[in-house]
Amino acid sequence: MVNYISALVFVILLLVGGGIVAPLTTSNPVLAVVVGIVWLIADVITSSAIQLAAQWQSAVVFRLGKFKDIRGPGLFHHPVKIRGQQPIYALLRSC
């Protein structure tokens, strides 16, 4: 399932960052580049942390290999990206 919410948040934050950096380019171009790079990195981290579980899914979240939580369906925030720490989506049956 494609997460359009994460892409939308990325674009909105990118536009806000451009609005912040644009006035800085005339007065101090070096500061504008530094602020732009920091803003872009923070934008990527923030937008990639937003997860979306479909209506028929729940996300089983593991933190460093141990069970942490069950999230979903819907939007949830999975803030820290550690290698191998993606949520596992499981289908839940209602019997």
Side-chain angles (χ1 to χ4, degrees), residues 5-83:
I5 303 298
S6 180
L8 180 66
V9 168
F10 177 79
V11 170
I12 290 172
L13 288 177
L14 191 65
L15 292 174
V16 169
I20 291 172
V21 171
L24 290 175
T25 57
T26 57
S27 62
N28 194 350
V30 175
L31 179 65
V33 169
V34 171
V35 170
I37 290 171
V38 170
W39 188 274
L40 181 66
I41 292 170
D43 184 14
V44 168
I45 291 171
T46 302
S47 64
S48 68
I50 298 172
Q51 301 289 324
L52 180 66
Q55 178 179 340
W56 57 88
Q57 292 177 331
S58 289
V60 180
V61 180
F62 291 97
R63 176 90 34 148
L64 298 175
K66 294 184 180 180
F67 173 77
K68 182 181 181 274
D69 199 6
I70 296 178
R71 302 276 180 99
L75 284 174
F76 61 94
H77 191 256
H78 192 62
V80 180
K81 294 290 185 180
I82 299 174
R83 189 173 64 123

Side-chain angles (χ1 to χ4, degrees), residues 54-60 88-94:
Q55 178 179 340
W56 57 88
Q57 292 177 331
S58 289
V60 180
I88 298 171
Y89 295 101
L91 294 173
L92 293 181
R93 298 171 64 185
S94 57

